[in-house]
Each structure stands twice: as structure tokens, then as C-alpha cells.
Amino acid sequence: MVFQKNWHKRMAFISSLNDFPFLVSLSAETATDFVTVFKLFNEITYYLGLYEIYAQLAKMPLMIIWEQKVSTDLQADIKRIVGLLLNNILTSKSSTCAEYFDLLSEKQKINRYRRIYQEINTVLPVT
């Protein structure tokens, strides 16, 4: 049970090793200290269920070069969008990702995302 509780923290640490240059860049671009950027990046990734998506992508057998490129590009696009969200959250002065998505202007967007995420998860469950 302890493993399940800390699973997202372990995934955050492992994925952060690959994300380190990106996080340093986000820190510089947003003029925000690295630890704040690191925590918020992981919070957004967890909140949106992206660790499960990354795990599912990692399980996919990528046999030909274009499959590898599509997977790599998709993960890069996801991280870029998380970076844009991070910047928006910092600009909004919200203290957490959840607080940001509770803003009236963002509620419809997160509800749409959740609906699509659930539809996809129903058809292709994340295991």
C-alpha cells in the first residue's frame, strides 16, 4: 500500500531526470525558482493523469522508426503544453494547479479534458 501512495512521487522523480533541462529552461523563462517550477510541473502532470499516459506509451512496442518518432513527439508536445499551463498558473497567482482549474475561466476546459480522458480510458484503459 505504501508503494501505491508514493507511486506518483517515484514517477515524478524518475521522469524529472529526463525533464531537468526543460525544467531549468522553464525556471529561467518564468523567473521562478527551480524548486517551485519542479513541484508545480509534477503537480500538473499528476493532476492531469499524465504519468499514467507516459506509462502506457512506454509499454507500447515501437518497432519502426516513425512509431518511435510519433511517441517521442507526442511526449514532447505534452511537456510543452504542461510548460504553458505552468506559466499560466504562475501568471494567475493561483497557488495550486487545482486552484487554477477552479477558476471560472478554466473550469470548462478542465471538464472537457476530463470527459475526453475518461472516454479514451474507457476504450483504451490505462493499466
Side-chain angles (χ1 to χ4, degrees), residues 57 60-73:
L57 286 171
M60 292 175 56
L62 305 173
M63 298 185 196
I64 53 179
I65 195 76
W66 72 265
E67 290 173 331
Q68 294 170 358
K69 176 146 180 50
V70 168
S71 178
T72 301
D73 288 352

Side-chain angles (χ1 to χ4, degrees), residues 23-38:
L23 294 172
V24 169
S25 174
L26 279 175
S27 179
E29 287 173 22
T30 61
T32 306
D33 67 279
F34 180 82
V35 173
T36 300
V37 168
F38 174 76

Side-chain angles (χ1 to χ4, degrees), residues 4 12 15 17 22 24 29 36 56-57 59 64 69 81 83 92 114:
Q4 289 178 342
S15 76
L17 298 176
F22 181 65
V24 169
E29 287 173 22
T36 300
Q56 194 74 2
L57 286 171
K59 291 179 187 177
I64 53 179
K69 176 146 180 50
I81 291 167
S92 76
R114 286 180 178 152

Side-chain angles (χ1 to χ4, degrees), residues 4 57 106 113 127:
Q4 289 178 342
L57 286 171
E106 301 304 318
Y113 173 83
T127 56

Side-chain angles (χ1 to χ4, degrees), residues 12 17 24 29 34 42 44 46 50 53 55-56 76 80 84 89 98 112 120 122 126:
L17 298 176
V24 169
E29 287 173 22
F34 180 82
N42 289 326
I44 295 166
Y46 180 73
L50 299 177
I53 292 171
Q56 194 74 2
R80 183 184 57 77
L84 292 171
I89 292 170
R112 182 170 182 259
I120 291 170
T122 301
V126 177

Side-chain angles (χ1 to χ4, degrees), residues 3 6-17 19 38 42 45-46 50-56 58:
F3 177 77
N6 295 323
W7 181 81
H8 73 278
K9 290 181 182 178
R10 290 178 186 187
M11 286 299 295
F13 176 74
I14 291 168
S15 76
S16 70
L17 298 176
D19 297 331
F38 174 76
N42 289 326
T45 303
Y46 180 73
L50 299 177
Y51 290 121
E52 292 85 0
I53 292 171
Y54 293 144
Q56 194 74 2

